[in-house]
């Protein structure tokens, strides 16, 4: 039976460390402020943004919300971002994705100043991650790394299989595992022998957005299983990409949904915002 990796508890430890850092900065008269931009009425985005603001309150980071209506034009959003780029009070800028149709996410991301890009989505930051010389780690992959480290399982030399190749999770996750000297395989929708590849994973990361994609027959005995999925079932319940009930019988460690990766994403965002404030005040 797998040990459950408690993302809520681990994220709280991270946030408490961040809180201490914020206090130290305050003593040096440096305040930390995150601008949170949300466009439209996506209910899931509203929940995420509220959780991010709550985390800011907890650690002592000031948060400024910019809630724009669904019909906001791309130019209006870009103008706001440019204003926030210039604003010395603002250390980090987070534009909650997805954006309404008609707004080009790529254009929005590349308009955010790389130094304020606390999501690490900008090409400059992505490139820095690729070469292993970065200020910001992408929030969800960095949170997953903390969860894996919490198990005490050594990463070096292990076979790590990442299912999903998104810019937000799959690709950067693979890179972070590679930096830790894992042997990394990336699987995706065109992978032919997904089950067989997954069966060889010592560390398995599911980041696809497909409920219960990973079943027990795909998991090696004792593997570390990290579930990045966050899927809403027709009955309203949240579930991950991993069939938790059956996989927990086989895995060595497993993250629950909710209460696994999600809280870690937010904790890393808090870390990145403090890093931004430090870099900007150097
Ligand atoms: N939408 C889903 N995940 C994220 C994230 O990590 N950051 C932002 N900005 N939007 C998201």
């Amino acid at each position: 039976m797998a040990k459950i990796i408690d993302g809520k508890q681990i994220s709280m430890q991270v946030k408490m460390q961040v809180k201490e850092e914020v206090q130290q900065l305050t003593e040096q008269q440096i305040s930390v402020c995150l601008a949170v931009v949300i466009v439209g009425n996506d209910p899931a985005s509203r929940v995420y943004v509220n959780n991010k603001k709550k985390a800011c309150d907890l650690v002592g980071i000031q948060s400024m919300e910019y809630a724009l209506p669904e019909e906001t034009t791309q130019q209006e959003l870009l103008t706001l971002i440019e204003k926030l780029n210039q604003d010395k009070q603002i250390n980090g800028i987070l534009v909650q994705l997805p954006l309404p149709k008609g707004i080009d996410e790529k254009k929005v991301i590349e308009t955010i100043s790389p130094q304020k890009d606390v999501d690490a989505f900008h090409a400059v930051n992505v490139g820095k991650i690729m070469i292993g010389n970065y200020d910001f780690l992408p929030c969800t992959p960095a949170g997953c790394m903390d969860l894996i480290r919490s198990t005490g399982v050594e990463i070096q030399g292990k076979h790590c299989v990442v299912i999903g190749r998104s810019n937000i999770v799959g690709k950067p996750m693979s890179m972070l595992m590679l930096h830790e000297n894992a042997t990394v395989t990336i699987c995706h929708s065109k992978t032919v022998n997904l089950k067989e590849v997954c069966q060889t994973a010592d560390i398995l990361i599911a980041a696809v957005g497909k409920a219960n994609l990973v079943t027990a027959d795909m998991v090696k005995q004792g593997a570390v299983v990290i579930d990045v999925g966050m899927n809403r079932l027709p009955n309203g319940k949240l579930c991950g990409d991993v069939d938790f009930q059956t996989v927990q019988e086989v895995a060595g460690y497993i993250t629950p949904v909710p209460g696994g990766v999600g809280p870690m994403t937010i904790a890393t965002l808090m870390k990145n915002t403090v890093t931004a404030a430090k870099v900007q005040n150097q």
Side-chain angles (χ1 to χ4, degrees):
M1 199 72 170
K3 290 201 178 113
I4 293 174
I5 306 174
D6 186 345
K8 263 192 170 167
Q9 191 206 335
I10 298 165
S11 70
M12 191 50 80
Q13 291 167 4
V14 174
K15 284 187 281 191
M16 288 303 113
Q17 285 164 7
V18 172
K19 186 174 180 168
E20 277 181 31
E21 288 188 61
V22 172
Q23 277 165 356
Q24 285 165 11
L25 288 172
T26 307
E27 284 163 19
Q28 302 166 45
Q29 325 298 331
I30 297 170
S31 62
V32 186
C33 181
L34 175 67
V36 181
V37 181
I38 176 169
V39 188
N41 311 309
D42 181 54
S45 288
R46 176 38 70 194
V47 173
Y48 294 139
V49 162
N50 287 350
N51 287 340
K52 288 169 186 181
K53 283 165 53 192
K54 261 190 240 164
C56 284
D57 289 345
L58 180 74
V59 304
I61 293 176
Q62 197 191 337
S63 66
M64 308 269 273
E65 180 179 309
Y66 297 83
L68 306 181
E70 185 82 25
E71 56 277 10
T72 301
T73 65
Q74 178 166 312
Q75 193 49 55
E76 285 167 333
L77 179 56
L78 296 183
T79 303
L80 170 64
I81 293 170
E82 276 155 9
K83 194 184 95 186
L84 297 172
N85 283 342
Q86 300 301 326
D87 187 340
K88 292 223 161 26
Q89 295 300 312
I90 304 277
N91 304 108
I93 302 171
L94 178 134
V95 179
Q96 186 65 31
L97 304 179
L99 291 166
K101 281 195 191 74
I103 300 184
D104 179 359
E105 282 183 2
K106 278 196 199 131
K107 182 78 192 144
V108 170
I109 289 168
E110 75 186 35
T111 303
I112 299 171
S113 159
Q115 284 159 338
K116 296 191 177 184
D117 170 36
V118 284
D119 267 320
F121 289 168
H122 192 287
V124 165
N125 289 322
V126 174
K128 286 180 154 193
I129 290 156
M130 190 94 173
I131 58 176
N133 168 28
Y134 40 77
D135 293 320
F136 304 124
L137 286 170
C139 297
T140 299
C144 292
M145 295 303 293
D146 283 345
L147 293 179
I148 296 166
R149 286 194 199 97
S150 79
T151 66
V153 170
E154 194 178 17
I155 299 172
Q156 174 158 309
K158 296 290 170 59
H159 186 206
C160 171
V161 174
V162 180
I163 318 175
R165 53 174 157 178
S166 68
N167 290 332
I168 294 186
V169 185
K171 282 187 219 169
M173 187 70 219
S174 309
M175 204 48 62
L176 298 191
M177 294 301 295
L178 188 59
H179 290 327
E180 298 289 329
N181 299 316
T183 302
V184 183
T185 303
I186 306 174
C187 297
H188 48 77
S189 54
K190 303 292 186 290
T191 298
V192 179
N193 48 348
L194 179 66
K195 177 172 154 182
E196 287 73 19
V197 176
C198 290
Q199 283 171 340
T200 67
D202 303 301
I203 301 171
L204 181 62
I205 291 145
V208 177
K210 223 173 172 181
N212 300 327
L213 172 77
V214 175
T215 46
D217 57 331
M218 297 165 75
V219 177
K220 183 167 156 179
Q221 192 80 37
V224 178
V225 179
I226 305 290
D227 189 352
V228 185
M230 184 70 85
N231 309 296
R232 184 78 60 181
L233 295 176
N235 67 9
K237 272 188 124 181
L238 272 184
C239 89
D241 291 351
V242 175
D243 180 10
F244 185 88
Q245 287 311 327
T246 61
V247 171
Q248 69 170 343
E249 308 279 343
V250 186
Y253 298 87
I254 188 168
T255 62
V257 176
V261 173
M264 296 303 294
T265 299
I266 297 182
T268 310
L269 174 69
M270 299 298 106
K271 270 201 221 177
N272 285 351
T273 307
V274 168
T275 303
K278 283 184 182 166
V279 171
Q280 289 156 27
N281 283 282
Q282 259 168 9

